[in-house]
């Protein structure tokens, strides 16, 4: 078994208008969890892998973060999902100090993974890899597993000691 610091890291929502979602959640969080407004919002105007491009925002927290994705490219899976199902929770994410090891453990337990457990990464963040547990074993929810990260001055950074 992998020795990792597993953590429920974030809940990510698929939205039609990321600016409106951020503004709405700023108002909500100002009452319900003001500490999530203490740090600079992590915002990537154009983020993703290959043709799947999206705008991405995160309210940083030492607890569970709130994230938003707005698909930018028509005829891609995220864009189609938003078009067909509307806004809502896309996935929950658990982070680990070694996502490759955790992914192998999940596969060894015959937990069904999307893309056969192949990890993906954005080339602008080669230290960050992630994969998804299929929504079947997740009871309708995609579960992301990713390398641990820190939100620093509006960007994601690797945690100390993370394999790169």
């Amino acid at each position: 078994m992998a020795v990792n610091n597993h953590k429920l890291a974030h809940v990510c929502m698929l939205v039609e208008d990321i600016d409106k979602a951020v503004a709405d959640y700023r108002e909500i969080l100002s009452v319900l969890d003001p500490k999530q407004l203490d740090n600079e919002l992590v915002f990537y105007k154009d983020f993703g892998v290959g043709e799947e491009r999206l705008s991405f925002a995160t309210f940083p927290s030492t607890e569970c973060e709130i994230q938003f994705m707005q698909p930018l490219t028509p005829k891609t899976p995220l864009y189609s999902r938003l078009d067909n199902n509307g806004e809502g929770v896309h996935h929950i994410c658990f982070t680990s100090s070694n996502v490759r090891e955790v992914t192998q453990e999940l596969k060894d337990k015959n937990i069904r993974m999307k893309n056969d457990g192949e990890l993906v990464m954005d080339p602008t963040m080669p230290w960050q890899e992630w994969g998804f547990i299929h929504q079947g074993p997740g009871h309708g929810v995609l579960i992301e597993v990713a390398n641990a990260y820190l939100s620093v001055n509006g960007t994601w950074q690797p945690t100390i000691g993370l394999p790169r």
Side-chain angles (χ1 to χ4, degrees), residues 92-130:
I92 61 173
C93 176
F94 289 84
T95 57
S96 169
S97 59
N98 189 330
V99 73
R100 288 179 180 264
E101 205 170 299
V102 169
T103 301
Q104 187 58 53
E105 274 187 59
L106 291 164
K107 289 167 51 175
D108 290 347
K109 291 184 178 277
N110 296 315
I111 295 173
R112 190 168 159 211
M113 304 290 293
K114 298 282 272 184
N115 303 320
D116 295 321
E118 290 296 316
L119 298 176
V120 294
M121 70 166 197
D122 182 306
T124 64
M125 291 187 277
W127 55 269
Q128 180 57 284
E129 295 179 297
W130 65 90

Side-chain angles (χ1 to χ4, degrees), residues 29-44:
L29 292 171
S30 72
V31 174
L32 298 178
D33 190 4
K35 291 187 99 178
Q36 283 209 24
L37 302 175
D38 288 348
N39 296 311
E40 184 178 349
L41 183 77
V42 174
F43 185 81
Y44 293 94

Side-chain angles (χ1 to χ4, degrees), residues 56-107:
F56 204 93
T58 301
F59 285 102
S61 174
T62 57
E63 303 299 325
C64 186
E65 297 178 331
I66 297 172
Q67 295 185 345
F68 305 99
M69 296 186 301
Q70 177 188 342
L72 300 174
T73 44
K75 299 181 182 176
T76 56
L78 284 177
Y79 197 95
S80 297
R81 181 173 171 172
L82 179 62
D83 199 34
N84 293 331
N85 302 325
E87 296 182 313
V89 172
H90 179 265
H91 67 269
I92 61 173
C93 176
F94 289 84
T95 57
S96 169
S97 59
N98 189 330
V99 73
R100 288 179 180 264
E101 205 170 299
V102 169
T103 301
Q104 187 58 53
E105 274 187 59
L106 291 164
K107 289 167 51 175

Side-chain angles (χ1 to χ4, degrees), residues 1 7-8 14 18 27 35 40-41 49 55 62 82-83 96 98 104 134-135 142 156-157:
M1 183 170 143
K7 174 187 172 187
L8 175 59
L14 198 54
I18 201 163
E27 289 299 312
K35 291 187 99 178
E40 184 178 349
L41 183 77
V49 178
S55 289
T62 57
L82 179 62
D83 199 34
S96 169
N98 189 330
Q104 187 58 53
H134 194 275
Q135 60 266 39
L142 280 173
W156 284 325
Q157 300 295 320

